[in-house]
């Protein structure tokens, strides 16, 4: 198969989708983000890359805390809504049932079966985004999605963001056990 | 639904899987990473969080360049293999068909329909990982997965990493068009 070179501005892989929550001007606000992942194990640090002018980021810079909410397919339309419109133009404080946890004024989404409160560990300024590193302080779950004390993706119905085409996709089936199927290749 | 608080050491979301490639001690080496995402649009910067003692990272610190290779379900066993064993204990230089591009000594995986060469933009040191920020310099694809000049995930067969359970999952079906289904919620 001959390889061809193309424009390097691509990002051709499935991305997790989260709702980033914060109080902004005394109101809960949520922004949909696909540039997210875990970046450190202990402590548990998650990274979120956000456009520098995001309304949600304004609140996070002040409070130094935010929430991460993992949505399911049931609320995909509201998740998309929070990615299209800025909190500067629409009031998202009633888009979801909001609850608060240990850190106090960090809004979380009740409809999400797993949510977490984070404190800002560091903000790394990149050319067009601010890379928010958050240390996970508290995590909250719906009891029915727990297996052996931890959230079970097999009981959740998550989705990922896929481009081009710009679609949300549900997950399919297992194609192998990690830390396992590769072992047969070692002589 | 009452929420319960659990141990905050979780990361309950599907993660993209990539092979990070570099020359280490004059041999191609590849490491499987799930803590990966795009972090900036222009320039196109991707972030990879790697354990500080990873063998691949040793090579990248010297050469200041690396590859990102997006695997398909066909090679999931070899991808798992590269996540289980360190290049210190096994020679991975013949695990894949290797090719090289414009940057020269940056090994890429021919079996991956999309690969890219990156130069190190910055390395952010976190408590247990090094967060490698790489600027995408060149991207290479198999022609048959291209639609309108860009790699098309609908023609690729990617997978994500899911824990707990530690499995690789294929993707499912579309559950909605992004930047679209949320519009109906705006009055």
């Amino acid at each position: 198969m001959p390889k061809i070179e193309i424009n390097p501005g691509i990002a051709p892989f499935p991305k997790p989708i989260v709702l980033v929550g914060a109080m902004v001007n005394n109101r809960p606000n949520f922004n949909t983000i696909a540039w997210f992942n875990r970046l450190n194990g202990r402590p548990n640090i998650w990274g979120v890359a956000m456009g520098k002018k995001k309304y949600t980021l304004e609140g996070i810079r002040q409070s130094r805390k935010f929430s991460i909410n993992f949505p399911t397919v049931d609320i995909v339309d509201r998740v998309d809504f929070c990615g299209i419109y800025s909190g500067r133009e629409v009031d998202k404080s009633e888009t979801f049932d909001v609850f608060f946890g240990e850190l106090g004024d960090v809004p979380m989404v009740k409809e999400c079966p797993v949510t977490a409160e984070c404190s800002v560990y560091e903000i790394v300024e990149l050319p067009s985004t601010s890379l928010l590193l958050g240390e996970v302080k508290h995590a909250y779950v719906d009891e029915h999605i727990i297996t052996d004390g931890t959230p079970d993706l097999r009981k959740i119905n998550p989705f990922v963001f896929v481009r081009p085409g710009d679609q949300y996709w549900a997950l399919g089936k297992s194609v192998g056990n990690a830390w396992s199927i590769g072992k047969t290749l070692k002589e």
Side-chain angles (χ1 to χ4, degrees), chain A residues 6-17:
Chain A
I6 57 163
N7 185 311
I10 56 170
F13 56 92
K15 298 170 190 72
I17 282 280

Side-chain angles (χ1 to χ4, degrees), chain A residues 64-148:
Chain A
R64 307 289 292 177
K65 46 198 181 182
F66 61 93
S67 71
I68 295 291
N69 307 268
F70 298 100
T72 66
V73 166
D74 310 320
I75 58 168
V76 64
D77 52 350
R78 282 183 276 172
V79 171
D80 192 48
F81 173 79
C82 289
I84 297 174
Y85 304 105
S86 165
R88 284 193 190 88
E89 48 176 336
V90 301
D91 177 3
K92 305 181 198 172
S93 65
E94 297 188 349
T95 303
F96 304 103
D97 260 357
V98 171
F99 76 104
F100 296 88
E102 291 286 321
L103 292 193
D105 52 345
V106 178
M108 289 179 281
V109 173
K110 218 175 231 173
E111 290 88 336
C112 291
V114 188
T115 66
E117 292 172 304
C118 302
S119 66
V120 171
Y121 178 86
E122 190 181 336
I123 300 178
V124 179
E125 294 300 337
L126 296 177
S128 62
T129 59
S130 297
L131 172 59
L132 202 54
L133 303 177
E135 184 177 339
V136 185
K137 292 296 191 181
H138 301 277
Y140 305 89
V141 300
D142 292 341
E143 202 164 358
H144 70 95
I145 58 96
I146 287 291
T147 300
D148 298 333

Side-chain angles (χ1 to χ4, degrees), chain A residues 9-81:
Chain A
I10 56 170
F13 56 92
K15 298 170 190 72
I17 282 280
V18 295
L19 289 161
V20 181
M23 296 300 288
V24 195
N25 296 323
N26 301 313
R27 270 197 188 149
N29 195 64
F30 298 97
N31 190 212
T32 303
I33 296 283
W35 295 359
F36 168 85
N37 211 324
R38 184 185 223 179
L39 297 179
N40 194 81
R42 293 183 187 187
N44 193 11
I45 295 174
W46 296 346
V48 187
M50 299 182 87
K52 288 183 191 297
K53 291 184 177 170
K54 288 283 183 189
Y55 189 63
T56 311
L57 192 55
E58 224 174 78
I60 298 171
R61 286 193 198 279
Q62 288 188 349
S63 67
R64 307 289 292 177
K65 46 198 181 182
F66 61 93
S67 71
I68 295 291
N69 307 268
F70 298 100
T72 66
V73 166
D74 310 320
I75 58 168
V76 64
D77 52 350
R78 282 183 276 172
V79 171
D80 192 48
F81 173 79

